[in-house]
Amino acid sequence: HYFIQSNLRMSYTVRLCQLTSHSSALSSIRALSAPSEYKVPGTEKFFKKQAVYGRPLSPHLTIYKPQLTSMLSISHRGSGIGYSILLYGGTLLTLLPGGFSHYVALAEQIAPGNGVITAFKAIVVLPLVYHTCNGFRHLAWDTGKGFKIAEVYKSGWFTVGVSVVLSLLMALLL
């Protein structure tokens, strides 16, 4: 039984390789998947209409109006990645000659004034604060609360506001 399945998989792979060698890979895969696409009535008509109009199979992100929920989700991921980069970058600075404190002192000497330093600190700490505040928002969602659209928007704007205020406070105090 296993031997037969193995041979079937092998012949399918060989057939796929033959198809891709004679034409583009995309059209080969499209040809292999075509019968399953048209099992739903009207599907073939839909795809032909889309082809006539020159429409892509899936709309591009640029046609959608940005929403707070999607922007906060993207920002949450981006802030996590951004802060990870900052954290690992700061850690690597400790390995360089002079250590981290040397580079902080160097940055303070180069900076044009306290306002610029405070703004820079706020920008550096904002990803951590936002990611943390939004993490608490997600923990609240884990309890099953706050899923109504009005509550999602209210908690989203609250998270953004608290993040900005806390970032500025931390920048002023550090």
Side-chain angles (χ1 to χ4, degrees):
H1 185 267
Y2 175 76
F3 181 72
I4 293 171
Q5 284 181 338
S6 178
N7 281 341
L8 285 175
R9 272 187 252 139
M10 180 65 88
S11 65
Y12 178 76
T13 305
V14 168
R15 177 69 181 137
L16 182 62
C17 290
Q18 289 172 344
L19 285 172
T20 56
S21 67
H22 296 304
S23 62
S24 73
L26 183 59
S27 63
S28 303
I29 293 169
R30 184 88 174 137
L32 289 173
S33 65
S36 64
E37 286 179 351
Y38 302 134
K39 288 181 182 176
V40 176
T43 305
E44 183 175 7
K45 181 182 172 186
F46 171 79
F47 280 116
K48 285 181 181 177
K49 180 180 172 184
Q50 300 307 313
V52 167
Y53 289 131
R55 295 178 180 159
L57 289 178
S58 151
H60 195 270
L61 289 174
T62 57
I63 69 166
Y64 294 109
K65 178 183 173 189
Q67 299 174 345
L68 178 68
T69 52
S70 61
M71 293 297 108
L72 290 179
S73 177
I74 292 167
S75 299
H76 185 74
R77 293 179 176 125
S79 65
I81 292 168
Y83 202 76
S84 296
I85 291 169
L86 285 173
L87 187 66
Y88 287 117
T91 303
L92 289 175
L93 281 178
T94 63
L95 301 176
L96 294 175
F100 184 76
S101 59
H102 168 72
Y103 293 100
V104 170
L106 184 65
E108 287 175 345
Q109 290 172 359
I110 295 172
N114 285 338
V116 173
I117 291 175
T118 302
F120 181 73
K121 287 179 188 178
I123 290 169
V124 168
V125 80
L126 181 64
L128 170 68
V129 173
Y130 171 75
H131 196 77
T132 303
C133 290
N134 205 37
F136 285 120
R137 182 173 172 237
H138 280 267
L139 286 174
W141 285 349
D142 288 343
T143 66
K145 297 181 182 178
F147 284 114
K148 292 180 183 169
I149 196 69
E151 294 170 343
V152 170
Y153 273 79
K154 188 193 298 186
S155 68
W157 283 117
F158 182 77
T159 299
V160 170
V162 167
S163 299
V164 169
V165 169
L166 285 176
S167 295
L168 289 172
L169 284 173
M170 288 178 75
L172 289 170
L173 295 175
L174 295 177

